[in-house]
Amino acid sequence: MQRHVVLVAALLLFLSLLGCESDPQNTGPQYGSNPVSTEISVYRFAVHPLHNPAKLIESYQPLIDYLNANLKGGQLKLEASRNYADFEKKYQAREPAFLLPNPWQSLQAIQSGYRVIAMAGDPLDFKGVFIIRKDSGITRPADLKGQTVSYPSPTALAACIMPQYFLYEHGIDINREITNTYVGSQESAIDNVYLKKSVAGVTWPPPWRAYQKSHPVEAAALKVAWETGPLINNSVMVRDDIPAAIQAQVQTMLIRLNETEEGRAILSGMETALFTPAVDQDYDVVRPFIARFERNVRKVETP
């Protein structure tokens, strides 16, 4: 009887040791009640109204496609806006993850929790240009007195604020001596001149170059009358809660875009020379200019 008990105890000990030595890691299929998530985060990339929405998507979608083909951990979605006010409401509400705003909007977006990661284009290309009809008879800024001038928006820096300061420096009171009309987009500002709804329209070089390519007949009837001096070009900004890895990848790809033939073709389609590194402090140069403008001409926020 005692021998029988010993054998049973030995058998139980052997079985327990087998259980202890089993591999705790299951290398076979894993099962569970919840499926494994394959969802990829999508980040909105909003560009201010350089063109009408259809033209902007045509120009900038190749950039977004290129970034998405190389971006790990997320995807970008291009977003156009109907007008400047619509775009500005978006970053004030912190809706897009990435922005491409003008320099004045960059200062505003910093206050909403965005930071600059790059500059888009050559700073010397950021200037206002006055477009007139070749048959207008306009030869000097003073000829605009009593006439209508069209702009994309009262907050368009190169295509409104800088040109209105140019007129102020040439002795024109833009609040009393001319009629300012804000038409929503760069192309509309130019079209208004061609259609003789305004005697001059204000834009800046990239939209004017694009207009000459897409509307050669209309552009042939127009010419540049005057240019303002340059300032600093548009920025690329990111919201402060976007993962650092996503920020770094987008910044690096933008800055290196001009190093390849594919990248240079994308830049050409956007009428942009290159992207360069930039930070918030680079845009401090805009503050004294805006201060002078508001002191001598008008408040930026109101037409």
Side-chain angles (χ1 to χ4, degrees):
M1 181 68 179
Q2 184 177 0
R3 181 180 177 184
H4 179 72
V5 171
V6 171
L7 288 173
V8 170
L11 179 61
L12 291 174
L13 177 61
F14 174 75
L15 291 174
S16 67
L17 289 174
L18 278 179
C20 292
E21 291 174 358
S22 64
D23 185 357
Q25 296 182 348
N26 185 355
T27 58
Q30 301 292 310
Y31 300 97
S33 58
N34 297 319
V36 176
S37 175
T38 59
E39 183 178 349
I40 295 178
S41 296
V42 176
Y43 301 99
R44 294 161 59 183
F45 195 119
V47 179
H48 81 283
L50 295 158
H51 312 287
N52 65 53
K55 175 62 177 175
L56 187 142
I57 290 172
E58 177 187 336
S59 299
Y60 277 81
Q61 189 60 51
L63 171 66
I64 300 303
D65 292 341
Y66 173 83
L67 296 175
N68 282 338
N70 297 280
L71 184 64
K72 297 178 175 61
Q75 291 283 277
L76 304 177
K77 180 180 180 181
L78 179 61
E79 184 168 299
S81 299
R82 295 188 304 275
N83 51 47
Y84 278 67
D86 183 39
F87 174 76
E88 289 157 9
K89 287 178 182 177
K90 290 176 181 178
Y91 66 71
Q92 289 165 0
R94 289 174 53 84
E95 292 174 354
F98 291 89
L99 304 173
L100 199 159
N102 73 33
W104 179 82
Q105 293 165 336
S106 300
L107 297 181
Q108 304 303 302
I110 288 171
Q111 298 177 18
S112 296
Y114 291 83
R115 72 178 185 91
V116 175
I117 60 172
M119 181 175 66
D122 185 339
L124 296 178
D125 206 30
F126 194 86
K127 55 189 175 183
V129 294
F130 289 83
I131 306 298
I132 62 173
R133 287 187 62 94
K134 292 178 180 178
D135 60 4
S136 68
I138 298 294
T139 60
R140 56 185 184 145
D143 293 335
L144 298 181
K145 290 183 179 181
Q147 305 290 343
T148 297
V149 179
S150 56
Y151 316 84
S153 164
T155 57
L157 183 56
C160 180
I161 296 172
M162 292 163 63
Q164 287 184 343
Y165 198 78
F166 173 92
L167 295 178
Y168 161 77
E169 291 182 315
H170 284 77
I172 299 174
D173 185 338
I174 66 106
N175 299 302
R176 294 181 176 87
E177 295 181 316
I178 64 174
T179 298
N180 303 292
T181 178
Y182 302 103
V183 295
S185 74
Q186 308 281 345
E187 290 170 14
S188 293
I190 302 170
D191 277 334
N192 269 251
V193 181
Y194 177 75
L195 297 171
K196 299 185 179 181
K197 294 181 179 180
S198 59
V199 73
V202 184
T203 185
W204 66 298
W208 171 234
R209 291 194 294 263
Y211 188 90
Q212 291 173 286
K213 294 176 181 177
S214 60
H215 300 80
V217 174
E218 294 85 347
L222 308 173
K223 67 177 182 177
V224 174
W226 316 288
E227 298 181 349
T228 73
L231 193 56
I232 187 173
N233 220 316
N234 298 324
S235 73
V236 178
M237 307 186 75
V238 64
R239 204 175 63 221
D240 56 14
D241 60 348
I242 302 305
I246 297 294
Q247 296 184 34
Q249 288 181 78
V250 171
Q251 181 184 42
T252 299
M253 285 189 283
L254 289 175
I255 291 169
R256 300 187 64 178
L257 197 60
N258 67 325
E259 297 178 2
T260 66
E261 184 175 348
E262 179 186 7
R264 289 189 290 273
I266 292 169
L267 289 166
S268 177
M270 299 185 297
E271 297 290 344
T272 300
L274 76 172
F275 290 90
T276 54
V279 295
D280 292 356
Q281 291 73 20
D282 294 324
Y283 287 79
D284 286 343
V285 67
V286 180
R287 298 183 191 278
F289 174 79
I290 293 297
R292 290 195 304 273
F293 179 83
E294 293 194 323
R295 183 170 60 250
N296 295 310
V297 183
R298 64 171 175 84
K299 293 294 183 183
V300 172
E301 291 83 354
T302 57

